Amino acid sequence: MTGSDVTRQGPEGERPGREAAPEILRGGPDGAGPGRGAGRRGRRRGGEGRHGGRGEQLMAPSAEFASYYGRPVIKAPAWRARDIAGYFFLGGLAGAGSVLAAGAHATGRTTTATAMKISSLAAVSLSTAALVNDLGRPGRFGNMLRVIKPTSPMSVGSWLLAAYGPAAGAAAACAVTGRLPRAGAAATGAAALLGPAVATYTAVLAADTAVPAWHGAHRELPYLFAASATAAASGMALVLGPVRETAPARCAAVLAAVADSAVHKAAEERLGMVAETYRTGRAGKLLRAARALTALGAAGGALSGGRARPLAAASGLALLAGSACTRFGIFAAGIASAEDPKYTVVPQRAAKEARRTTPAPHAERTQPT
């Protein structure tokens, strides 16, 4: 405003004060009009004002997520359970079996060592066949070996299979023929070194997807696969090995059963509402059967005490069945979580709300002291 805007009646263009408003608009002499006083009373009746604690009322109810037009938010994996869940199970049996075979070889349990080497070779062969069947053509597996990509679980897994398979084959061939014992021992050691990675990389492969039931349990899934693989290999040793050589397998079975139960519980706690997919439907039935069979097999193996051959064999079969149910149950839980959009949207919204309400660490550091 310049000096020329000031007149004898005051500044020109200045807005009139609140006293310039007609009295009726300011509430009227009796305070019952639609003016300011009525507005205050209206806010008190509607929402208790800023001192009432209720704030403004929403004109529309809060939107609650029910469905994304009835369609899944993410595309469920097109994998077939027979191929991929079977691939998970057989890979775990092969990898953990090589570790047990190396231990038996080192401790002079030659019958069990030979049996487990043959078992691992058969398992990794069937596992590769299941993977190739899922890929559609054998040439596609060869194409996966054209590059090495350390950040890709699929690429790393392909190279693990390519390195582990020949080692397991050489170890089994030397054990069966009795030739080249030093080469056989070296191959046995190489297979045992690669075995844990072969048994658990499939968990990383599944957790690296957007499937809620797998991705949400990415910290526990490798341990769950390791426990399941150990249970399967222990069961195979109880079935194939002489009872006098099964002491390590019986101990491993007990440890695997305890670890399987503990990790499964931890995974369900982390998953929150997504854990419903582990408890209900086909996945729930399979995982309950898995826990029961694994516990029964471990208890039976411990009670057999290296004497009762039928009990040891039955316990081994229960452990194998429990491990297979675990892999198929986890696979089914993943598919169920991908097909229902609420398992994708609700956890993401909850995580976003938690980030919004939790102050960032750098913001706390910048607060004045």
Side-chain angles (χ1 to χ4, degrees), residues 123-358:
V124 74
S125 301
L126 292 174
S127 168
T128 306
L131 177 60
V132 169
N133 188 53
D134 182 75
L135 293 174
R137 293 200 309 267
R140 289 177 177 169
F141 181 75
N143 292 337
M144 295 165 66
L145 301 177
R146 295 169 64 181
V147 296
I148 300 178
K149 191 175 181 182
T151 56
S152 169
M154 179 62 77
S155 178
V156 173
S158 302
W159 279 100
L160 276 174
L161 282 179
Y164 171 81
C174 293
V176 171
T177 61
R179 296 182 177 181
L180 304 175
R182 292 185 178 178
T188 300
L193 289 175
L194 295 172
V198 172
T200 56
Y201 97 90
T202 48
V204 181
L205 178 67
D208 197 44
T209 64
V211 176
W214 298 341
H215 185 74
H218 64 279
R219 293 184 180 176
E220 293 82 8
L221 214 54
Y223 298 103
L224 186 57
F225 274 40
S228 176
T230 304
S234 303
M236 185 61 76
L238 289 174
V239 171
L240 299 178
V243 289
R244 66 180 182 280
E245 296 182 358
T246 57
R250 286 184 275 115
C251 293
V254 173
L255 293 176
V258 173
D260 183 274
S261 178
V263 176
H264 191 95
K265 183 178 180 181
E268 287 192 350
E269 290 179 355
R270 175 183 295 278
L271 285 170
M273 67 165 292
V274 183
E276 293 174 359
T277 59
Y278 282 69
R279 302 189 189 107
T280 58
R282 183 170 183 266
K285 295 177 182 177
L286 286 170
L287 291 174
R288 284 193 293 274
R291 288 194 292 272
L293 288 168
T294 302
L296 188 64
L303 293 174
S304 68
R307 295 181 297 274
R309 173 65 185 170
L311 180 58
S315 301
L317 291 175
L319 288 168
L320 284 166
S323 177
C325 287
T326 297
R327 306 307 178 100
F328 279 82
I330 291 173
F331 184 87
I335 299 299
S337 69
E339 290 177 345
D340 194 331
K342 72 178 181 181
Y343 296 122
T344 302
V345 176
V346 174
Q348 290 185 4
R349 288 184 174 177
K352 182 180 179 181
E353 181 64 19
R355 288 194 298 271
R356 189 183 67 81
T357 56
T358 303

Side-chain angles (χ1 to χ4, degrees), residues 5 11 22 30 59 114 137 262 286 334:
D5 297 328
D30 55 353
M59 300 302 295
T114 302
R137 293 200 309 267
L286 286 170

Side-chain angles (χ1 to χ4, degrees), residues 13-113:
E14 184 183 28
R15 290 184 177 182
R18 61 182 181 179
E19 299 300 330
E23 190 175 15
I24 188 65
L25 295 180
R26 290 187 277 114
D30 55 353
R36 181 183 173 200
R40 285 183 176 176
R41 286 193 295 275
R43 285 196 294 271
R44 291 193 188 102
R45 286 195 298 268
E48 298 297 334
R50 60 182 177 180
H51 301 294
R54 292 177 54 188
E56 297 182 356
Q57 286 186 336
L58 296 175
M59 300 302 295
S62 300
E64 295 293 339
F65 175 78
S67 173
Y68 185 75
Y69 301 104
R71 304 292 301 170
V73 177
I74 63 172
K75 185 178 180 181
W79 298 337
R80 286 169 289 192
R82 180 193 62 186
D83 292 336
I84 299 304
Y87 171 65
F88 291 172
F89 166 69
L90 292 169
L93 174 61
S98 289
V99 177
L100 285 183
H105 181 92
T107 55
R109 296 176 170 86
T110 54
T111 304
T112 299

